[in-house]
């Protein structure tokens, strides 16, 4: 404990401190004052201080003092700063409550107080501010801004091609290791081409590079590869892993998202354009404000449960799951922090408070899953054209419906016939005609359904006029009421106001809260003579559940006495397999009406075709609304609300980000994006630089690319990581600059030769004494198979291809296709990517299922991988096509076929033994077996 010190000693301490920190006004609170207060005094608050109960965690309480009523800190007044008196007397910190205060630290506190004791607004000190043996604090390495390190001097300077080499060689020299020799040019170009493009180089490209004697041969090669449109396709797949992109909803229904693909295409374009990383970030978080709508597909790229529930807690939990996905994905993808672990309590290992989690949740609180139109210059013109066509189509359908409805059979109330005559109810359209009757109230009561709570798409009440008019519309003054409304957590989809809003489809319908029953009632603006009620479960024909199978329709003029006019008793039994009625059916129509119906059918088909042809592109990119206030949830329970929180970020990560509690929704996301791309943020550049390194070497400088916290890996080369991060920012945050630095280094150009002595010291190759061989990912393997057979379709963009049989089940069934054609011969990045279901062949090669983010793929070796490559239907087909290509391009000569095959599969010529063995295999088993063997060879599957 520091006792009274001679004045000269304190003067020296002050001089030393001033020399290190500069003038008193330049004292950094976080770097100096906060650390001392936490280290020595944070344990002394809330009464644990036996003399005074000082609370030094907050500015206000530190100024106010404790039970002694003396200010712990009196700005510019050393004599009345009680904290200094306690430290000098040796009473603080109390025994066992903190470390000893040194003379230099006391001098620093005095200087800080004398300068005015500046304390950042809303900063609360915590014992967790400092790193300990069990957790990270604010002083954790990754939370400090990266500083540009001095490039080290190394013994073998001739091996340094880029600064990267100096850092790697320095570490190797420290461990008594030497780098491997340089890889030959054929190996290098194959490595570089697969790395950047995910495809093999051609023989012509290999030979041209091998024979290029110019000093800039390597530079021009890398520049050519980076300029290829295949680069975006290759590296987009890496990013799509990180952000859990998939094209289905997940959960038990796992239905497809037909328009998720525009986000994938945007990522490809952005990477090909070398979009600066801060712009890449802001487009994905707030692209709707920048005219890049598809980019916000990132926000809603995760799983989404579409199954509603009457249980409010379950519905709220579904919403919390959506928001947790956005918070967790954003924090791991851009920051390398597991913020999701702070949902129920303060993070156990990193300086992330539960309040930080909900501050981030408040930023995403207005984001809703769903599709929206992608804006483009021609969008407004297309929208106007579509509106005109829709109006024309509606007019035709109204005319056809009026004629069709007029000839529907009358309901037979009280009919007890054993042979009901009216058609069975269906999901698409049902008509109940009765004798013209004057009424103002219409009640529809459901007595049974085919499943769950009943749902009505639209309830229409028509006059007996010619033409008939629908008086049930809310726009005409009709009012709808119901026995109950599906709880659904306040879902905007299934509300009573949708019963008569004139808009068709499940997306605007009413659902009862009663299993198998319920009623709705319409009050017309005034009494009228009506003769029919038209209703449906889903006019768009998508859903066939919740259909009222037994019901009754009653009418009343005053609302007190009711008359039964129609029901389901005179209908045939419900048949779930029966076809829905056709609006333009000519059955039972008089000849003149039938002729007009046929004309209407033709006109409607023509209008629908035009609508389909000029449809504006939609993207599953989310919808946005001003959110309700966000609260901290006790233990993460949706119904256990505590304090309200304003939108913000992680307090321990600079720079600070705080917004007003009622900040506009769009501003919230834009502010977070700018915070992430701020050069003062210590994590963003480091995390991205490490990801790029990881995909080039199979392992990052930090082994855990999405966890830079306490439980993540420590950097093997911390100075190199900081150099890469600062270089990345200095070069405009453009990823291609880092690719170029890495791939032109001697470190990347090393051979992959195994060295037992080096492996004994560094078995994992973390010190980079060679280029570590690794197996290609599933996508690169599949693309290379198609490339070798000559069938690879390099067309870019647009909807993907499917490797599962089509079906329209409510719960999607993924049955793998057994036959494949040109439609499935595109690059695998364009393969539709459902959650929880894998490509039957290549899914075994450790493809993530996108249920969660994937920072690095596992690399397993299993029997199924070998069996799939040898016997899978696509592999058998491609082997046949590979053999056909050899016969077509190399003729019938066995040696020519083998040589050509080796160049296509391995990027080299066969040696003598390989040539002899291959010719014998072809003679004995045929060319097809030879091609299957090449596809299964390690050299085909691995990158050296």
């Amino acid at each position: 404990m520091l006792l009274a010190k001679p004045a000269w000693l304190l003067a020296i301490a002050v001089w030393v401190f001033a020399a290190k920190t500069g003038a008193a006004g330049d004292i950094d609170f976080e770097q100096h004052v906060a650390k001392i207060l936490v280290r020595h005094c944070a344990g002394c608050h809330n009464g644990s201080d036996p003399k005074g109960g000082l609370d030094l965690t907050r500015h206000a309480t530190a100024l106010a003092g404790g039970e002694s009523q003396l200010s712990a800190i009196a700005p510019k007044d050393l004599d009345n700063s009680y904290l200094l008196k306690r430290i000098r007397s040796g009473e603080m910190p109390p025994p066992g409550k903190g470390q000893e205060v040194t003379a230099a630290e006391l001098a620093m506190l005095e200087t800080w107080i004398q300068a005015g004791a500046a304390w950042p607004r809303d900063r609360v000190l915590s014992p967790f501010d400092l790193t300990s043996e069990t957790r990270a604090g604010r002083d954790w390495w990754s939370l400090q801004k990266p500083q540009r390190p001095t490039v080290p001097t190394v013994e073998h300077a001739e091996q340094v091609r880029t600064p990267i080499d100096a850092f790697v060689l320095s570490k190797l020299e420290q461990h008594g290791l030497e780098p491997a020799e340089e890889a030959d040019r054929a190996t290098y170009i194959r490595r570089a081409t697969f790395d950047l493009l995910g495809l093999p180089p051609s023989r012509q490209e290999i030979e041209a590079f091998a024979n290029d004697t110019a000093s800039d041969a390597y530079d021009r090669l890398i520049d050519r590869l980076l300029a290829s449109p295949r680069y975006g396709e290759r590296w987009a797949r890496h990013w799509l892993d990180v952000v859990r992109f998939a094209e289905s909803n997940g959960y038990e229904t796992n239905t497809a998202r037909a328009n998720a693909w525009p986000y994938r295409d945007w990522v490809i374009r952005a990477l090909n354009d070398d979009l600066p990383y801060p712009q890449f970030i802001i487009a994905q978080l707030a692209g709707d404000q920048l005219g890049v709508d598809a980019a916000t597909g990132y926000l809603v790229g995760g799983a989404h449960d579409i199954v509603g529930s009457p249980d409010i807690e379950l519905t709220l939990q579904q919403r919390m799951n959506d928001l947790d996905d956005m918070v967790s994905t954003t924090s791991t993808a851009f920051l390398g922090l597991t913020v999701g672990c702070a949902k129920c309590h303060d993070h156990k290992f990193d300086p992330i408070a539960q309040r930080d989690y909900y501050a981030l949740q408040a930023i995403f609180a207005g984001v809703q899953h769903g599709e929206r139109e992608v804006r483009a210059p021609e969008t407004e013109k297309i929208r106007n054209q579509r509106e005109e066509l829709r109006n024309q189509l509606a007019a035709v359908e109204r005319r056809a419906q009026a004629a069709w409805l007029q000839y529907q059979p009358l309901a037979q109330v009280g009919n007890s016939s054993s042979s009901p005559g009216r058609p069975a109810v269906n999901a698409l359209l049902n008509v109940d005609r009765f004798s013209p009757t004057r009424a103002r109230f219409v009640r529809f009561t459901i007595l049974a359904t085919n499943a769950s709570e009943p749902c009505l798409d639209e309830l229409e009440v028509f006059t007996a006029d010619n033409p008939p008019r629908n008086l049930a519309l809310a726009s005409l003054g009709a009012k709808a009421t119901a026995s109950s409304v599906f709880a659904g957590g306040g879902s905007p989809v299934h509300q009573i106001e949708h019963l008569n809003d004139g808009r068709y489809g499940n997306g605007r319908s009413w659902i009862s809260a009663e299993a198998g029953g319920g009623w709705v009632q319409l009050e017309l603006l005034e009494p009228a003579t009506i003769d029919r009620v038209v209703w449906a479960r889903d006019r768009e024909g998508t859903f066939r559940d919740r259909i009222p199978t037994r019901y009754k329709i009653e009418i009343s003029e005053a609302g007190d006495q009711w008359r039964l006019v129609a029901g389901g008793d005179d209908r045939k039994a419900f048949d779930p397999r029966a076809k829905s009625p056709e609006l333009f059916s000519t059955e039972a129509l008089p000849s003149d009406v039938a002729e007009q119906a046929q004309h209407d059918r033709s006109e409607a088909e023509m209008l629908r075709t035009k609508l389909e042809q000029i449809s504006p592109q939609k993207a599953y990119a989310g919808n946005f609304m001003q959110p309700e206030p966000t609260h901290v949830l006790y233990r993460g329970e949706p119904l256990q609300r505590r304090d309200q929180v304003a939108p913000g970020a992680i307090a321990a990560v600079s720079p600070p980000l705080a917004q007003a509690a009622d900040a506009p929704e769009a501003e919230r996301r834009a502010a977070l994006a700018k915070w992430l791309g701020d050069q003062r943020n210590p994590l963003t550049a480091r995390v991205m630089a490490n990801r790029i390194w990881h995909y080039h070497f199979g392992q990052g400088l930090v082994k855990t690319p999405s966890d830079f916290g306490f439980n993540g890996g420590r950097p093997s080369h911390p100075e190199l990581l900081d150099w890469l991060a600062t270089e990345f920012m200095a070069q405009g945050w453009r990823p291609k600059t880092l690719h170029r630095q890495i791939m032109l280094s001697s470190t990347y150009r090393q051979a992959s030769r195994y060295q037992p002595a080096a492996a004994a010291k560094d078995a994992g190759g973390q010190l980079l004494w060679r280029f570590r061989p690794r197996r290609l990912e599933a996508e690169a393997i599949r693309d290379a198979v198609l490339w070798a057979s000559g069938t690879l379709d390099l067309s870019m963009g647009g909807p993907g291809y499917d490797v599962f049989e089509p079906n329209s089940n409510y719960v999607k069934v993924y049955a793998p296709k057994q036959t494949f054609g040109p439609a499935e011969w595109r690059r695998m990045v364009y393969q539709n990517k459902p959650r929880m279901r894998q490509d039957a062949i290549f899914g075994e090669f450790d493809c993530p299922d996108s249920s969660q983010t994937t920072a690095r793929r596992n690399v397993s070796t299993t029997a199924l991988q070998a069996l799939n490559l040898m016997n899978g239907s696509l592999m058998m087909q491609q082997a046949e096509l590979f053999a056909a290509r050899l016969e077509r391009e190399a003729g019938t000569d066995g040696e020519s076929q083998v040589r050509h095959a080796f160049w296509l599969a391995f990027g080299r010529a066969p040696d003598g033994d390989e040539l002899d063995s291959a010719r014998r295999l072809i003679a004995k088993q045929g060319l097809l077996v030879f091609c299957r063997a090449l596809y299964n060879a390690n050299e085909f599957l691995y990158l050296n």
Side-chain angles (χ1 to χ4, degrees):
M1 187 65 59
L2 178 71
L3 302 177
K5 302 292 182 180
W8 62 268
L9 181 58
L10 290 179
I12 292 175
V14 171
W15 180 83
V16 170
F17 173 75
K20 290 183 177 180
T21 63
D26 295 332
I27 294 174
D28 188 302
F29 181 84
E30 293 296 342
Q31 292 297 319
H32 301 292
V33 179
K35 291 184 178 180
I36 294 175
L37 293 179
V38 170
R39 184 181 296 116
H40 303 299
C41 308
C44 305
H45 65 85
N46 294 335
S48 61
D49 173 18
K51 291 187 178 181
L54 298 181
D55 183 349
L56 299 174
T57 62
R58 293 170 172 79
H59 190 210
T61 55
L63 293 179
E67 297 171 5
S68 65
Q69 302 302 310
L70 298 175
S71 296
I73 298 170
K76 298 184 179 182
D77 189 348
L78 300 182
D79 293 337
N80 289 310
S81 292
Y82 188 50
L83 170 64
L84 299 180
K85 294 180 180 180
R86 299 292 307 283
I87 293 175
R88 289 171 183 149
S89 68
E91 296 176 279
M92 203 167 175
K97 294 294 185 178
Q99 301 176 12
E100 180 179 343
V101 181
T102 67
E105 290 171 335
L106 177 59
M108 188 277 298
L109 287 176
E110 291 177 336
T111 306
W112 172 65
I113 292 172
Q114 188 65 52
W119 189 306
R121 184 173 178 267
D122 298 330
R123 175 71 164 96
V124 179
L125 300 183
S126 164
F128 301 135
D129 282 352
L130 297 180
T131 298
S132 68
E133 293 181 356
T134 58
R135 60 175 296 120
R138 284 174 175 261
D139 59 344
W140 185 245
W141 71 268
S142 65
L143 302 182
Q144 312 313 305
K145 183 179 178 181
Q147 301 297 322
R148 183 82 165 185
T150 301
V151 177
T153 301
V154 294
E155 182 178 349
H156 298 288
E158 72 281 358
Q159 297 179 344
V160 176
R161 286 191 171 92
T162 75
I164 290 171
D165 299 322
F167 290 103
V168 172
L169 287 170
S170 177
K171 187 74 72 171
L172 288 174
E173 289 174 1
Q174 292 174 27
H175 290 79
L177 297 174
E178 293 185 356
E181 70 278 6
E182 185 174 340
D184 63 73
R185 288 200 173 196
T187 298
Y188 179 86
I189 188 175
R190 185 174 189 271
R191 177 191 302 171
T193 308
F194 266 113
D195 249 5
L196 289 180
L197 309 186
L199 292 168
S202 67
R203 177 177 181 176
Q204 294 75 19
E205 291 169 334
I206 295 170
E207 291 179 334
F209 178 64
N211 296 322
D212 190 341
T213 59
S215 60
D216 64 344
Y218 282 84
D219 301 72
R220 286 186 289 104
L221 170 65
I222 298 305
D223 287 343
R224 176 176 65 80
L225 295 176
L226 288 172
S228 169
R230 311 299 155 214
Y231 160 78
E233 294 173 327
R234 166 65 161 168
W235 282 78
R237 183 64 264 168
H238 296 325
W239 183 251
L240 296 176
D241 280 3
V242 172
V243 299
R244 51 52 177 134
F245 171 79
E247 295 173 86
S248 71
N249 286 317
Y251 293 95
E252 62 265 37
T253 58
N254 205 21
T255 49
R257 292 177 181 170
N259 290 314
W261 59 267
Y263 172 68
R264 173 248 293 155
D265 282 2
W266 176 84
V267 174
I268 292 172
R269 290 193 303 272
L271 293 175
N272 277 333
D273 293 342
D274 203 19
L275 193 67
Y277 194 49
Q279 295 180 33
F280 186 69
I281 295 172
I282 196 170
Q284 292 175 87
L285 270 64
D288 55 303
Q289 303 166 47
L290 305 172
V292 281
D293 292 275
T296 60
Y298 157 81
L299 293 169
V300 290
H304 174 58
D305 192 352
I306 63 172
V307 178
S309 170
D311 187 327
I312 183 65
E313 184 172 3
L314 289 178
T315 301
L316 288 175
Q317 187 61 60
Q318 289 174 320
R319 178 58 179 159
M320 288 302 106
N321 289 344
D322 286 347
L323 293 175
D324 180 66
D325 167 74
M326 297 176 203
V327 171
S328 298
T329 301
T330 299
S331 64
T332 56
F334 299 112
L335 297 172
L337 292 178
T338 55
V339 175
C341 295
K343 178 172 68 172
C344 304
H345 47 68
D346 290 348
H347 201 294
K348 296 296 186 183
F349 301 101
D350 297 329
I352 304 169
Q354 187 184 21
R355 194 176 188 87
D356 293 339
Y357 174 91
Y358 288 99
L360 280 170
Q361 188 188 92
I363 286 176
F364 299 110
V367 181
Q368 303 285 338
H369 275 258
E371 294 184 348
R372 70 173 191 274
E373 288 185 5
V374 176
R375 286 171 293 177
E378 66 276 9
T379 299
E380 191 61 32
K381 179 180 178 181
I382 290 175
R383 188 180 289 114
N384 293 335
Q385 290 176 338
R386 286 179 57 80
E387 186 64 26
E388 183 179 350
L389 288 171
R390 274 195 294 261
N391 290 337
Q392 293 177 21
L393 179 60
V396 173
E397 289 183 337
R398 281 195 300 270
R399 183 172 66 238
Q401 185 183 73
W404 185 74
L405 292 176
Q406 184 178 355
Y407 292 96
Q408 294 303 299
L410 287 170
Q412 302 296 315
V413 177
N415 180 14
S416 58
S417 170
S418 59
S419 302
R422 289 206 299 152
V425 296
N426 63 87
L428 191 64
L429 188 65
N430 300 281
V431 182
D432 285 281
R433 282 188 65 223
F434 44 86
S435 299
T437 308
R438 188 169 177 80
R440 185 178 183 183
F441 296 88
V442 177
R443 179 185 292 168
F444 190 106
T445 303
I446 298 101
L447 305 173
T449 68
N450 69 328
S452 305
E453 302 88 347
C455 177
L456 289 178
D457 176 354
E458 187 80 6
L459 188 62
E460 299 173 317
V461 178
F462 286 91
T463 64
D465 304 335
N466 188 16
R469 295 174 293 126
N470 175 22
L471 299 181
L473 292 170
S475 61
L476 297 179
K479 298 178 182 178
T481 55
S483 60
S484 60
V485 178
F486 182 68
S491 166
V493 175
H494 305 298
Q495 299 299 310
I496 184 60
E497 56 264 28
H498 298 327
L499 184 73
N500 62 333
D501 62 358
R503 297 174 66 179
Y504 296 150
N506 178 73
R508 297 186 65 85
S509 61
W510 164 81
I511 294 183
S512 164
E514 307 154 56
W519 57 262
V520 289
Q521 181 175 301
L522 292 172
E523 179 184 354
L524 307 181
L525 180 64
E526 57 187 6
T529 301
I530 60 175
D531 69 351
R532 77 201 72 172
V533 171
V534 180
W535 58 277
R537 157 62 179 99
D538 179 12
R539 293 282 185 98
E540 294 177 340
T542 302
F543 294 93
R544 298 175 181 271
D545 59 347
R546 305 178 184 272
I547 301 173
T549 53
R550 292 184 52 237
Y551 65 95
K552 62 180 181 179
I553 299 175
E554 300 166 291
I555 63 174
S556 172
E557 186 169 0
D560 49 359
Q561 297 180 349
W562 295 87
R563 174 188 169 193
L564 180 67
V565 293
D569 291 344
D570 63 333
R571 289 185 178 274
K572 296 177 181 178
F574 173 71
D575 182 358
R577 298 166 298 180
K579 288 186 177 181
S580 297
E582 292 184 34
L583 180 61
F584 301 101
S585 172
T586 58
E587 184 178 349
L589 294 181
S591 58
D592 58 332
V593 178
E595 184 178 350
Q596 180 62 45
Q598 186 62 42
H599 174 78
D600 289 341
R601 180 201 295 270
S602 299
E603 186 176 356
E605 288 177 354
M606 178 193 68
L607 291 170
R608 288 194 189 97
T609 300
K610 288 184 177 180
L611 272 171
E612 291 175 1
Q613 291 173 343
I614 65 169
S615 295
Q617 178 58 54
K618 288 188 174 183
Y620 196 91
N623 294 294
F624 310 106
M625 58 184 290
Q626 186 65 21
E628 296 294 322
T630 297
H631 297 263
V632 173
L633 302 182
Y634 178 65
R635 295 184 177 178
E637 294 290 339
L639 295 178
Q640 298 292 320
R641 290 184 171 185
R642 296 296 188 263
D643 295 344
Q644 182 178 340
V645 293
I650 304 167
V653 179
S654 297
L657 173 64
Q659 294 178 290
D662 60 349
E665 190 280 330
E667 289 183 10
R668 302 180 186 205
R669 291 180 285 115
L672 177 64
K674 292 174 183 176
W675 178 80
L676 288 169
D678 193 310
Q679 290 205 16
R680 294 171 293 173
N681 190 308
L683 289 161
T684 309
R686 273 198 186 106
V687 170
M688 189 56 176
N690 188 66
R691 290 197 194 283
I692 292 174
W693 186 277
H694 164 79
Y695 290 118
H696 279 304
F697 290 97
Q699 181 172 276
L701 297 171
V702 176
K703 287 185 177 181
T704 52
S706 287
D707 189 357
F708 276 42
F710 187 81
N711 286 334
R714 309 302 188 265
S716 60
H717 299 70
E719 295 82 8
L720 173 56
L721 180 58
D722 275 9
W723 186 88
L724 290 169
T726 54
E727 179 72 5
F728 184 36
M729 292 186 284
Q731 297 298 323
W733 296 80
R734 293 186 180 274
K736 290 185 180 182
T737 62
L738 279 192
H739 289 304
R740 195 174 286 106
Q741 285 279 0
I742 291 169
M743 301 184 75
L744 293 175
S745 69
S746 297
T747 304
Y748 184 82
R749 287 166 63 166
Q750 290 181 99
S752 60
R753 180 177 60 84
Y754 182 76
Q755 302 175 53
K761 292 184 178 182
D762 179 32
Q766 190 78 357
L767 296 177
L768 301 162
W769 46 268
R770 68 163 177 160
F771 183 89
R772 193 172 64 165
R774 66 180 189 272
R775 193 185 67 205
L776 294 169
E777 302 92 334
E779 292 84 359
I781 295 174
R782 187 184 192 275
D783 291 350
V785 166
L786 297 171
W787 185 90
S789 71
T791 60
L792 181 62
D793 177 0
L794 291 175
S795 58
M796 297 180 66
Y801 63 89
D802 208 341
V803 292
F804 298 97
E805 297 292 350
N807 70 81
S808 57
N809 297 38
Y810 177 67
V811 176
K812 174 76 170 176
V813 177
Y814 290 90
K817 287 183 177 178
Q818 298 302 316
T819 58
F820 303 91
E824 291 83 32
W825 292 347
R826 299 176 68 193
R827 297 198 70 177
M828 193 171 172
V829 72
Y830 297 114
Q831 184 182 110
N832 284 341
K833 178 73 175 172
R835 285 184 168 84
M836 304 184 294
R837 293 294 183 271
Q838 297 285 12
D839 181 300
I841 297 175
F842 298 97
E844 292 297 331
F845 287 87
D846 307 298
C847 281
D849 73 357
S850 299
S851 295
Q852 296 179 333
T853 64
T854 302
R856 55 179 181 177
R857 295 190 182 186
N858 295 326
V859 180
S860 64
T861 302
T862 70
L864 282 176
Q865 293 168 354
L867 290 171
N868 282 350
L869 285 183
M870 182 61 72
N871 301 315
S873 56
L874 178 69
M875 296 302 299
M876 293 290 289
Q877 176 201 57
Q878 291 301 311
E880 291 176 356
L881 293 168
F882 190 5
R885 179 182 186 180
L886 296 179
E887 291 176 334
R888 185 172 63 251
E889 297 177 1
T892 58
D893 178 66
E895 180 175 337
S896 298
Q897 291 174 342
V898 171
R899 291 186 181 280
H900 192 35
F902 264 65
W903 276 107
L904 291 172
F906 305 145
R908 65 174 179 85
D911 61 28
D913 291 340
E914 290 169 333
L915 181 60
D916 291 341
S917 298
R919 292 179 66 182
R920 289 196 300 272
L921 176 63
I922 293 172
K924 185 175 182 180
Q925 300 289 342
L927 194 57
L928 175 60
V929 172
F930 169 64
C931 291
R932 291 170 68 192
L934 293 183
Y935 278 154
N936 281 265
N938 275 350
E939 190 172 352
F940 183 80
L941 303 173
Y942 276 78
L943 200 60
N944 291 300

